[in-house]
Amino acid sequence: MRVHVDADICEEHGQCVFAAPDIFDLGDDGLTYAIQVDDTREPEVLAAQSACPVQAIKLTRVGASGM
Ligand code: SF4
């Protein structure tokens, strides 16, 4: 799946980092994250999405057909 964080609404408090520290990171340059995540990591990504207070995390599931 693909991960996208809407930088216009992300407040960079880092709740997603606590939920999925291998996918999201908050450093001097602000929030960084893995854009492409294996489907096996879906529980962590969903936990991060749920933890985000402003719903800034968007997910796109890439189907087996490529679309
Ligand atoms: S939890 Fe949401 S608002 Fe906070 S840093 Fe993560 S994406 Fe941004």
Side-chain angles (χ1 to χ4, degrees):
M1 66 177 59
R2 293 197 178 101
V3 178
H4 172 73
V5 175
D6 188 337
D8 290 336
I9 59 176
C10 173
E11 297 178 345
E12 297 191 344
H13 293 306
Q15 288 93 328
C16 56
V17 179
F18 289 104
D22 291 340
I23 298 170
F24 297 89
D25 185 50
L26 195 54
D28 292 341
D29 294 333
L31 184 73
T32 56
Y33 55 96
I35 294 171
Q36 187 79 39
V37 179
D38 192 275
D39 286 351
T40 59
R41 312 292 298 280
E42 182 169 346
E44 295 162 74
V45 178
L46 291 177
Q49 188 180 42
S50 296
C52 180
V54 295
Q55 289 83 49
I57 301 172
K58 312 297 181 194
L59 306 177
T60 304
R61 289 178 176 79
V62 182
S65 67
M67 286 301 294

